[in-house]
């Protein structure tokens, strides 16, 4: 039945439970199934196959696989809370394909996250009620299904958390430490973790005061509490409970504490006084309220302040009354009282005042003084006795008085602290003693205080008055004081009165001495009198003494001095004599003093006349003139100066310090200083300025006038001699000139060179020539020329500098229009360009085309290029040359055929057929009317044959060989050997010969280069042929090079 050689068997298998089927192939007669599912029924049939085909399948055999553990875990696990200690778990059954048998139960592993404890739950259904859990616990659950074989994989983790409950026990280690009489420090630990049943959110402390029955509660979130509101000397009971968000747990057992004593919190009550005398009193009070005593009262402290003096002292008592002795009479004592426990002193009470009775003063009044003292009265004033000595209210003052000069006794009474006393004697001393009295009696008298009445004017004049004449102006007057009984005080000065008999004028002089040196006027008659003065005033004058003084110097100057200016060199001066009272004798002559204000020079003249003419003076000078008179004894003072200025004249010297300041080649500033002052001879009102151009064909002179000391000249000719002159003017006329000659600085030429000519000598060169700038427009020495070559098409410029007047340029571009100009330069700068001369260079051969590329287009290739960078004329056409290699196994080299295609200038690409496996060398060049330019750099293009093709024909084999040779050459280039392609001329052969370069290097000078010989172009194409260059390699996408 085999009907041939059995080469394999086909086994068809189907799963009864799912209908799934699949096929296996084997060449053996046995087969092991390794990917079957557990607990499945498989229907199996088999068929044999020869090389012709497959035969019929056998009858079906059914095989059942055994059970296994489940291959997945249950899903859909969830928990429903019943209470804080119970919940209901549920899940979904396994998918059939993962059961792998009959599910007989489920296993749940549970871990308590907080404690790490674990246990296992089992269920035969897909839900389970769980009890006896702990409140506020996180249960981590995993579940697995089980068959009779075993337990399958456990599920991912499921988290179940029971809700909170009230704590199951009170806080632990509750303690209360009393820290002061009013504070305690409470500490505790939370309930044990298993009894917390949730998160403890706060603690509640319950407290009771046993003495008062007062209860209060406190809450705290921490595990300690500092309580500062307790009462001293009290018994307290404390207990504590913890609370979760659900509620409060049980309270702890009671902790009892007692606070210690403290100072009383209130003062004693009802402070009062009894049995008050002038020096004693009894104080009475009651203890503080019982609830503020804060312990046993052991002492009372009374602070006492004397209201009138601020004096303070302290009293103590252990009872509730105290007799106080040693007090001061008529004092207000301000008392405050406080109670003390063993701990310390409580607060003081409000103030209570006790005032003692009056007594006689202990001390007399103080500070007895007298004011408003006159010669017959004064005002007495004093201060009461010191307050601490008054001992009551002062009702009377008694003053006992003794006149020291006579011994007379007086007594005065006053009810206040001042007394006006009249009817006294002038310049007497009164000694006073003062005492004060209360309603009880008179106190002691104070010490003696003396007061003196004021002086009065003397009642008599000085005696024994006499004088001595020492000089015409100096007289000494002497005297003795008035009789003592007429002095009426201390003589402090004497007044001397001097009367001029001629004028009636009177003068007074004062002196503390008994003589006076008096300055009088000479040649006068005087009456002299003297009187004495006390501090109060002047007494009567003595009888007059007559004195006649001798002749002296004049004491006044001539009057009405005047001056009349006659010319620039002379002045008339006149005056009147001094006043008669200033002659002091007979005037014998006058002295005229003259000072020149501008120079300080001075001189004098004398005359017995009342006028004088000053001559030989300098023009326009201010003369300060004064006149003095003289007697036979001596000269008198000069009069006040008057000024007189001589008239102006023309300057007698030119301006000085002439200076030229160039601002530019044609602008200068001419500056000068005025003539020396002594030569100005007046006020310089303007300057005459002239400039003379010298060295030019025609001499030019300009004259200007200015009031300043500088002038600016514009539009001067550069690089030219100029002579500048200046003279000063007064109102009288012009003075002499002075001058300075300078050459103005060089400037840039003001005109271009002349006769510019340009001769084009080739497509790239020209000869340029020109003549000098006109001499009068050179403005200096021409040091160079700049030739500007501007390319009209682009605007680009080239500047060439030379010192000659011609230039050959060999750097022009073919077939371009140039604008050519020339300018000249001095050291000061460059002048203007000539008008541009336009030239156009002739055509030349073009540059090679740019960016030559070759790309595969299937059975052909496409050559593309860009126009040359410079056409150097009008492009006419493009010439594309590519070579085709042919193999000759007999010869030592390889032959190439070339193809040349000429295209119009508007074309920039060429598509040509390509033989598979051949290598093409491609170059492009272009032409103008002058001829062809150089070719582009050669590129190599390889057309790789299709793969997996059987080469049947010799041509294909030859093409493959050529490709291999080319690939080998390219491989050498890739490996780092520089390959160069060059073309040379041949005769009549359209072939290329491929040969190995010599050891010394190929045509490019590079060693071991592959070279190509161009034998395709004729003799006329030698110059325009391909140049030596490195050939880039071009391959299509299928190339495996």
């Amino acid at each position: 039945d085999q009907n041939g050689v059995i080469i394999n068997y086909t086994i068809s298998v189907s799963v009864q439970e799912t209908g799934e089927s699949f096929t296996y192939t084997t060449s053996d007669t046995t087969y092991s199934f390794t990917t079957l599912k557990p607990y499945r029924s498989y229907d199996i049939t088999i068929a044999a196959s020869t090389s012709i085909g497959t035969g019929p399948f056998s009858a079906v055999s059914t095989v059942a696989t055994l059970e296994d553990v489940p291959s997945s875990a249950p899903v859909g696990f969830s928990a429903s809370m019943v209470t804080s200690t119970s919940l209901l778990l549920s899940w979904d059954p396994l998918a059939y394909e993962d059961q792998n048998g009959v599910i007989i139960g489920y296993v749940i592993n549970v871990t308590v996250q907080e404690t790490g404890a674990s246990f296992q739950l089992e269920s035969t259904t897909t839900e389970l009620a769980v009890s006896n859990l702990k409140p506020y616990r996180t249960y981590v659950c995993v579940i697995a299904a089980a068959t009779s074989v075993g337990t399958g994989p456990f599920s991912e983790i499921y988290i179940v958390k029971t809700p909170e409950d009230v704590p199951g026990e009170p806080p632990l280690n509750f303690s209360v430490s009393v820290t002061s009489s009013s504070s305690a420090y409470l500490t505790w630990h939370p309930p044990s973790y298993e009894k917390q049943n949730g998160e403890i959110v706060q603690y509640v402390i319950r407290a009771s005061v046993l003495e008062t029955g007062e209860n209060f509660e406190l809450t705290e979130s921490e595990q300690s509490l500092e309580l500062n509101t307790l009462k001293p000397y009290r018994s307290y009971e404390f207990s504590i409970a913890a609370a979760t968000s659900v509620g409060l747990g049980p309270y702890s057992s009671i902790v009892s504490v007692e606070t210690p004593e403290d100072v009383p919190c209130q003062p004693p009550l009802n402070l009062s006084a009894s049995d008050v005398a002038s020096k004693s009193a009894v104080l009475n009070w009651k203890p503080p309220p019982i609830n503020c005593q804060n312990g046993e009262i052991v002492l009372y402290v009374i602070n006492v302040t004397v209201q009138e003096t601020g004096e303070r002292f302290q009293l103590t008592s252990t009872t509730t009354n105290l007799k106080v002795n040693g007090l001061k009479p008529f004092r207000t004592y301000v008392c405050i009282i406080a109670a003390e426990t063993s701990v310390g002193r409580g607060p003081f009470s409000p103030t209570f005042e006790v005032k003692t009775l009056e007594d006689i003063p202990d001390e007399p009044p103080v500070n007895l003084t007298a004011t408003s003292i006159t010669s017959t009265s004064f005002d007495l004033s004093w201060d009461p006795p010191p307050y601490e000595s008054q001992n009551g209210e002062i009702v009377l003052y008694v003053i006992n008085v003794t006149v020291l000069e006579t011994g007379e006794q007086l007594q005065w009474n006053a009810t206040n602290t001042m007394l006006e006393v009249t009817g006294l004697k002038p310049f007497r001393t009164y000694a006073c003693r003062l005492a004060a009295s209360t309603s009880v009696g008179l106190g002691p008298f104070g010490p003696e205080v003396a007061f003196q009445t004021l002086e009065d004017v003397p009642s008599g004049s000085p005696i024994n008055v006499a004088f001595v004449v020492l000089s015409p102006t100096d007289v000494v007057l002497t005297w003795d004081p008035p009789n003592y009984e007429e002095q009426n005080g201390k003589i402090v000065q004497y007044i001397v009165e001097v009367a001029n008999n001629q004028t009636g004028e009177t003068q007074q002089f004062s002196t503390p001495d008994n003589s006076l040196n008096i300055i009088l006027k000479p040649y006068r008659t005087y009456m002299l009198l003297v009187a004495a003065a006390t501090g109060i005033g002047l007494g009567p004058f003595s009888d007059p003494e007559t004195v006649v003084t001798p002749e002296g110097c004049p004491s006044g100057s001539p009057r009405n001095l005047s001056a009349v200016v006659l010319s620039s060199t002379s002045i008339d001066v006149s005056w009147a004599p001094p006043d008669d009272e200033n002659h002091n004798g007979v005037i014998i002559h006058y002295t005229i003093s003259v000072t020149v204000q501008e120079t300080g020079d001075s001189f004098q003249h004398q005359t017995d006349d009342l006028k004088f003419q000053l001559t030989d003076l300098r023009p326009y000078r201010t003369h300060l003139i004064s006149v003095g008179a003289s007697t036979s004894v001596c000269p008198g003072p000069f009069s006040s100066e008057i000024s007189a200025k001589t008239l102006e004249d023309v300057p007698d010297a030119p301006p000085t310090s002439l200076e030229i300041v160039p601002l530019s080649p044609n602008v200068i500033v001419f500056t000068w200083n005025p003539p020396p002052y002594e030569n100005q001879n007046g006020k310089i009102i303007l300057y005459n300025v002239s400039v003379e151009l010298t060295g030019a064909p025609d001499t030019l002179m300009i004259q200007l006038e200015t009031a300043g000391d500088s002038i600016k000249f514009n539009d001067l000719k550069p690089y030219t001699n100029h002579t500048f002159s200046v003279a000063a003017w007064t109102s009288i006329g012009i003075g002499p000139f002075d001058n300075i000659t300078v050459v103005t600085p060089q400037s840039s030429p003001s005109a271009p060179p002349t006769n510019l000519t340009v001769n084009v000598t080739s497509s790239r060169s020209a000869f340029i020539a020109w003549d000098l700038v006109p001499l009068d427009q050179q403005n200096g020495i021409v040091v160079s020329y700049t030739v500007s070559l501007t390319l009209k098409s682009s605007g680009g410029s080239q500047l060439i500098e030379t010192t000659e007047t011609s230039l050959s340029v060999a750097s022009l571009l073919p077939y371009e229009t140039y604008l050519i100009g020339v300018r000249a330069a001095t050291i000061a700068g460059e002048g203007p360009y000539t008008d541009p001369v336009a030239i156009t260079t002739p055509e030349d051969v073009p540059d090679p085309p740019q960016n030559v590329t070759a790309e595969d287009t299937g059975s052909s290739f496409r050559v593309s290029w860009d126009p040359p960078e410079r056409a150097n004329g009008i492009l006419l056409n493009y010439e594309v040359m590519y070579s085709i290699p042919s193999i000759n196994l007999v010869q030592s080299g390889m032959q190439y055929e070339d193809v040349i295609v000429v295209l119009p200038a508007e074309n920039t690409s060429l598509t040509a057929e390509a033989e598979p496996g051949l290598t093409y060398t491609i170059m492009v060049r272009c032409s103008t009317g002058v001829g062809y330019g150089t070719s582009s750099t050669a590129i190599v293009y390889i057309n790789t044959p299709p793969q997996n093709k059987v080469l049947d024909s010799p041509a294909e084999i030859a093409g493959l060989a050529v490709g291999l040779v080319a690939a080998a050459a390219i491989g050498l280039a890739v490996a780092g050997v520089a390959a160069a392609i060059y073309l040379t001329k041949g005769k009549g052969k359209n072939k290329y010969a491929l040969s190995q370069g010599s050891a010394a290097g190929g045509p490019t000078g590079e060693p071991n280069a592959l070279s190509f010989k161009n034998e395709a172009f004729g003799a006329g194409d030698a110059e325009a042929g391909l140049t030596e260059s490195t050939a880039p390699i071009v391959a299509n996408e299928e190339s495996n090079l």
Side-chain angles (χ1 to χ4, degrees), residues 804-823:
E804 305 297 330
T805 56
S806 64
L807 178 68
S808 291
V809 181
S811 58
L812 303 180
L813 297 175
Y815 204 62
E816 290 287 355
T817 297
Y818 286 89
L819 300 178
I820 301 175
V822 182
R823 66 184 177 190

Side-chain angles (χ1 to χ4, degrees), residues 14-141:
S14 63
V15 184
Q16 287 185 2
E17 289 81 1
T18 63
E20 179 185 5
S21 63
F22 41 89
T23 302
Y24 300 95
T25 301
T26 182
S27 60
D28 297 326
T29 57
T30 62
Y31 189 82
S32 294
F33 295 95
T34 59
T35 59
L36 302 181
K37 296 283 188 179
Y39 204 60
R40 297 288 191 277
S41 296
Y42 292 90
D43 293 336
I44 303 173
T45 182
I46 190 169
S49 297
T50 65
S51 60
I52 302 302
T54 301
F57 280 90
S58 66
V60 173
S61 293
T62 300
V63 179
T65 55
L66 300 178
E67 280 190 293
D68 202 349
V69 297
S71 56
S72 68
V75 295
F77 188 84
S78 64
S80 300
M81 300 298 170
V82 178
T83 67
S84 63
T85 58
S86 62
L87 52 81
L88 178 64
L89 302 177
S90 62
W91 55 90
D92 296 334
L94 289 180
Y96 177 77
E97 61 270 16
D98 294 329
Q99 292 180 7
N100 297 338
V102 177
I103 302 300
I104 60 174
Y106 297 91
V107 176
I108 304 167
N109 286 344
V110 182
T111 301
V112 183
Q113 189 177 69
E114 290 80 2
T115 64
S118 61
F119 55 90
Q120 191 176 76
L121 304 172
E122 295 181 353
S123 176
T124 58
T125 65
T126 57
E127 64 179 19
L128 177 65
V130 184
S131 59
N132 296 322
L133 300 177
K134 294 287 187 182
Y136 201 60
R137 292 293 187 275
T138 302
Y139 294 93
V140 180
C141 306

Side-chain angles (χ1 to χ4, degrees), residues 636-978:
F638 280 90
S639 66
S640 298
E641 290 180 332
I642 64 170
S643 66
K645 196 167 192 176
T646 52
L647 300 178
E648 288 186 284
D649 208 337
V650 297
D652 53 21
T656 62
S657 304
L658 276 59
E659 184 180 1
I660 300 297
V661 181
L663 300 183
S664 71
N666 51 13
V667 179
I668 64 96
V669 175
F670 178 28
T671 66
W672 57 88
N673 288 334
Y677 181 78
E678 62 273 13
N679 301 114
Q680 291 181 12
N681 296 339
K683 181 179 181 181
I684 304 300
I685 57 174
L686 57 83
Y687 294 92
N688 187 296
V689 182
S690 66
V691 58
E692 182 179 356
L693 177 63
T694 59
D698 297 320
T699 299
L700 174 66
M701 177 175 283
I702 302 172
Q703 285 196 339
L704 301 169
E705 291 182 351
T706 178
D709 56 3
S710 66
I711 189 166
K712 183 178 179 181
F713 288 92
N714 298 304
D715 301 324
L716 298 179
K717 191 166 185 59
Y719 203 57
T720 306
N721 285 332
H722 292 79
T723 299
F724 297 88
S725 302
V726 62
W729 282 80
T730 66
S731 61
I732 303 302
I734 189 170
F737 278 88
D738 195 4
N739 62 69
I740 183 172
T741 299
V742 297
V743 178
T744 50
Q746 293 191 58
S747 181
S748 57
S750 54
T754 58
N755 302 325
L756 174 63
T757 60
V758 182
N759 293 321
V760 178
T761 56
S762 73
S763 63
R764 297 179 184 271
S765 63
F767 180 76
I768 306 169
W770 57 90
D771 292 335
L772 299 176
V773 177
L775 183 61
D776 61 340
Q777 294 178 302
Q778 290 182 9
N779 297 338
I781 299 172
V782 174
V783 294
S784 66
Y785 297 93
T786 300
V787 180
S788 171
L789 307 174
T790 302
L791 193 61
K792 187 175 181 180
S793 59
S794 66
S797 294
Q798 177 184 5
L799 300 178
I800 303 173
E801 188 171 327
T802 179
T803 59
E804 305 297 330
T805 56
S806 64
L807 178 68
S808 291
V809 181
S811 58
L812 303 180
L813 297 175
Y815 204 62
E816 290 287 355
T817 297
Y818 286 89
L819 300 178
I820 301 175
V822 182
R823 66 184 177 190
T826 66
I827 60 172
E830 297 169 328
Y833 276 102
T834 61
D835 291 335
V837 174
I839 64 164
T840 301
T841 54
E843 285 188 296
D844 205 341
V845 295
D847 291 353
Q850 303 180 93
N851 305 322
V852 178
T853 60
E855 60 180 339
D856 184 29
T857 59
S859 61
S860 61
F861 63 88
R862 183 173 184 268
V863 181
S864 302
W865 60 88
D866 291 333
E869 182 178 1
R870 288 199 52 78
N872 295 335
I874 299 174
L875 286 180
L876 300 178
N877 52 54
Y878 289 98
E879 184 179 86
V880 182
M881 185 192 79
Y882 57 94
S883 60
I884 303 174
S886 61
I887 189 167
N888 187 338
L889 300 178
V890 177
Q891 299 178 0
S892 59
M894 184 173 293
Q895 300 297 315
Y896 290 82
E897 296 180 357
D898 58 25
V899 175
I900 296 174
V901 179
V902 178
L903 300 173
E906 57 269 18
N907 289 61
T908 56
S909 65
L910 171 68
T911 300
E913 293 183 356
E915 288 296 330
L918 295 188
T919 299
Y920 297 88
T921 301
I922 304 167
M923 292 176 288
V924 183
R925 65 180 182 173
C926 53
S927 68
T928 64
V930 176
Y932 277 99
T934 56
S935 297
S936 65
T937 302
I939 65 171
V940 175
Y941 166 74
I942 301 173
N943 188 7
T944 305
Q947 295 183 2
N948 301 326
K949 179 178 179 182
V950 178
L951 304 180
D952 296 328
S953 68
E956 291 176 330
I957 294 172
L960 178 58
V962 171
L964 291 175
V965 171
I970 296 169
L972 290 175
V974 172
V977 179

Side-chain angles (χ1 to χ4, degrees), residues 500-522:
N500 188 324
N501 286 355
Q502 283 85 353
T503 64
E505 179 185 2
T506 300
Q507 290 180 288
Q508 285 189 346
F509 303 94
S510 66
T511 178
D513 301 324
N514 290 359
S515 65
L516 178 66
N517 193 338
I518 306 171
I519 304 302
L520 302 177
K521 288 187 177 183

Side-chain angles (χ1 to χ4, degrees), residues 5-10 47-55:
V5 178
I6 303 301
I7 59 175
N8 57 52
Y9 297 92
T10 301
S49 297
T50 65
S51 60
I52 302 302
T54 301

Side-chain angles (χ1 to χ4, degrees), residues 96-451:
Y96 177 77
E97 61 270 16
D98 294 329
Q99 292 180 7
N100 297 338
V102 177
I103 302 300
I104 60 174
Y106 297 91
V107 176
I108 304 167
N109 286 344
V110 182
T111 301
V112 183
Q113 189 177 69
E114 290 80 2
T115 64
S118 61
F119 55 90
Q120 191 176 76
L121 304 172
E122 295 181 353
S123 176
T124 58
T125 65
T126 57
E127 64 179 19
L128 177 65
V130 184
S131 59
N132 296 322
L133 300 177
K134 294 287 187 182
Y136 201 60
R137 292 293 187 275
T138 302
Y139 294 93
V140 180
C141 306
V142 293
I143 187 170
T147 64
S148 60
V149 177
T151 302
F154 280 91
S155 66
E156 63 183 7
I157 290 174
Y158 295 98
I159 302 298
V160 178
K161 190 163 187 175
T162 54
E164 289 186 289
D165 205 343
V166 298
E169 68 180 16
L172 305 177
N173 303 324
F174 180 53
S175 67
V176 180
S177 300
V178 176
T179 56
S180 72
S181 62
S182 60
S183 63
Y185 189 66
L186 287 68
T187 60
W188 58 89
H189 292 153
S192 59
Y193 182 77
E194 58 275 9
K195 296 293 185 179
Q196 290 182 15
N197 296 340
E199 182 178 351
I200 302 300
V201 295
Q202 70 175 7
Y203 298 92
V204 178
I205 299 101
R206 189 164 57 190
S208 300
V209 185
L210 298 184
E211 287 82 358
T212 63
E214 178 188 2
N215 297 312
F216 58 91
E217 282 189 352
L218 304 167
T219 59
E220 177 60 46
S221 59
E222 304 297 332
Q223 296 177 25
S224 64
L225 174 64
E226 187 172 358
L227 189 57
N228 298 314
T229 58
L230 303 181
K231 297 287 187 180
Y233 209 50
R234 299 286 191 279
S235 298
Y236 288 89
E237 291 184 345
F238 296 93
S239 61
I240 188 169
T244 64
S245 60
V246 176
L248 192 66
Y251 277 93
S252 68
S253 57
I254 290 174
V255 176
S256 299
V257 295
E258 290 184 358
T259 55
E261 282 189 318
D262 204 346
V263 298
C265 60
Q266 287 189 22
L269 305 175
N270 303 329
L271 179 61
S272 61
S274 60
D275 298 331
V276 179
S278 64
K279 296 184 179 180
S280 65
V282 176
L283 298 177
N284 305 285
W285 61 88
K286 291 184 178 180
I290 187 66
N291 61 339
C292 279
Q293 291 183 11
N294 293 341
E296 298 292 333
I297 302 299
V298 297
L299 188 69
Y300 294 97
V301 177
I302 303 135
N303 284 347
V304 182
T305 301
V306 183
Q307 189 179 68
E308 292 80 3
T309 65
E311 178 188 0
R312 295 182 179 182
F313 57 90
Q314 191 177 78
L315 305 171
T316 59
S317 176
T318 57
T319 63
T320 56
N321 57 65
L322 177 66
K323 182 176 182 179
V324 184
N325 295 309
L327 302 179
K328 293 282 187 179
F330 205 60
R331 293 292 189 276
T332 301
Y333 292 90
V334 180
C335 305
I336 55 175
I337 188 169
E340 289 186 356
T341 65
S342 61
V343 175
R345 184 179 302 162
F348 279 93
S349 67
T351 58
F352 171 73
E353 295 183 358
V354 180
K355 190 163 187 175
T356 53
L357 302 180
E358 284 187 291
D359 207 337
I360 64 172
D362 292 333
E363 295 184 33
V366 296
N367 301 327
L368 176 61
T369 59
T371 59
S372 302
I373 298 175
T374 70
S375 60
T376 58
S377 66
F378 49 68
D379 291 340
L380 292 178
S381 63
W382 56 89
D383 292 331
Y387 184 79
E388 61 273 13
S389 301
Q390 290 181 15
N391 297 338
E393 183 178 350
I394 302 300
V395 296
L396 182 68
Y397 293 96
V398 176
I399 304 139
N400 287 339
V401 183
T402 300
V403 183
L404 296 184
E405 288 80 2
T406 63
E408 181 184 2
Q409 298 290 325
L410 303 173
Q411 186 179 79
W412 303 318
N413 294 331
T415 58
N416 53 38
T417 57
M418 59 186 303
L419 177 66
E420 182 180 4
V421 183
T422 59
L424 303 178
K425 298 290 182 74
F427 206 52
R428 295 290 186 272
T429 303
Y430 294 87
C432 304
R433 299 181 68 214
L434 180 63
S437 176
T438 65
S439 60
V440 177
L442 187 66
F445 279 90
E448 188 176 78
V449 180
F451 304 104

